[in-house]
Amino acid sequence: DAKTTQPTSMDCAEGRAANLPCNHSTISGNEYVYWYRQIHSQGPQYIIHGLKNNETNEMASLIITEDRKSSTLILPHATLRDTAVYYCIVRVNSNSGYALNFGKGTSLLVTP
Amino acid sequence: DAMVIQNPRYQVTQFGKPVTLSCSQTLNHNVMYWYQQKSSQAPKLLFHYYDKDFNNEADTPDNFQSRRPNTSFCFLDIRSPGLGDAAMYLCATSIDQERIQYFGAGTRLSVL
């Protein structure tokens, strides 16, 4: 799996967009970018994933650069409940083992 | 709602006293996972069941075992817990090798 690099921590004001970056410069053509988050004392929660096109769902948007070497998770209107550790994971979609390699993630603090 | 349920949320055991953690799911997923998450670290896969087939990660200590009596339930057995086994234990499920895994809230194990 490609290695990912994320900032250790970020702050965001409530109601503003939170933009969480992830570098994955060694990503290969068949690897997807996945985002999970973990709120304190809870299990990880899937947010969104993509291959090369930008993706949007009810939780977030995922912007992947054209060269696929980096991506940004966007929470359009952050709330206090979005305070969590956000993990960017790069994986092929099948036949490559089962473990999610979470890495260190970004600790996002949403402030009032 | 369909979900992954872990009981208990908090478990206290004594050094060397066997302990069992349980996980149940209503998603009817064929793959179930156990992750260990120590304080301030990312979750780490211990093993998984693909249907009835047990798959151990190479570095999972022998002290950790698992049972899956049916599709819905999976157990984590720690035969002789040490102080270093104090952690959050997370159960997750997925359909085949899809990268979207659904996690329970976790069981926090303390070893006295």
Side-chain angles (χ1 to χ4, degrees):
Chain A
D1 297 339
K3 180 181 166 68
T4 62
T5 304
Q6 300 177 251
T8 301
S9 63
M10 295 182 65
D11 292 347
C12 177
E14 188 177 21
R16 304 297 293 268
N19 298 296
L20 293 94
C22 179
N23 285 323
H24 31 79
S25 58
T26 61
I27 193 170
S28 59
N30 62 345
E31 288 183 309
Y32 287 69
V33 180
Y34 282 76
W35 284 84
Y36 282 74
R37 73 179 182 184
Q38 187 173 21
I39 295 169
H40 182 63
S41 293
Q42 296 185 23
Q45 176 190 24
Y46 164 79
I47 301 173
I48 198 168
H49 75 282
L51 182 61
K52 49 187 173 182
N53 298 322
N54 298 337
E55 302 288 344
T56 294
N57 64 19
E58 65 279 4
M59 291 182 68
S61 295
L62 174 60
I63 308 298
I64 303 174
T65 58
E66 192 168 343
D67 63 7
R68 303 209 323 121
K69 292 184 176 181
S70 66
S71 60
T72 301
L73 178 74
I74 301 172
L75 308 178
H77 305 286
T79 71
L80 299 179
R81 288 176 292 181
D82 292 322
T83 292
V85 178
Y86 287 77
Y87 296 100
C88 170
I89 299 168
V90 174
R91 253 349 262 277
V92 297
N93 231 11
S94 65
N95 300 322
S96 62
Y98 291 80
L100 287 175
N101 295 314
F102 283 89
K104 297 186 185 302
T106 295
S107 180
L108 175 69
L109 176 64
V110 181
T111 56
Chain B
D1 286 344
M3 54 179 30
V4 181
I5 302 165
Q6 292 189 244
N7 285 309
R9 289 295 314 276
Y10 300 91
Q11 176 76 54
V12 180
T13 191
Q14 293 179 335
F15 183 94
K17 184 175 181 181
V19 65
T20 295
L21 309 181
S22 70
C23 176
S24 64
Q25 55 128 341
T26 59
L27 297 163
N28 204 33
H29 286 171
N30 62 327
V31 187
M32 294 188 76
Y33 310 78
W34 281 103
Y35 286 81
Q36 178 192 62
Q37 185 174 25
K38 294 187 176 180
S39 181
S40 301
Q41 296 183 19
K44 180 177 179 298
L45 184 65
L46 294 172
F47 28 59
H48 74 273
Y49 272 94
Y50 189 112
D51 295 322
K52 295 182 180 180
D53 294 333
F54 177 72
N55 298 273
N56 208 22
E57 293 298 298
D59 55 356
T60 297
D62 293 340
N63 199 25
F64 292 86
Q65 304 287 327
S66 186
R67 294 170 285 135
R68 188 179 186 187
N70 54 53
T71 300
S72 301
F73 286 87
C74 196
F75 300 98
L76 170 62
D77 300 310
I78 309 176
R79 292 191 297 186
S80 182
L83 299 179
D85 297 327
M88 173 80 87
Y89 290 89
L90 295 160
C91 174
T93 71
S94 74
I95 300 172
D96 293 331
Q97 285 171 282
E98 283 193 22
R99 289 288 77 82
I100 301 175
Q101 295 184 12
Y102 298 84
F103 285 80
T107 294
R108 184 167 298 282
L109 177 69
S110 298
V111 181
L112 304 180

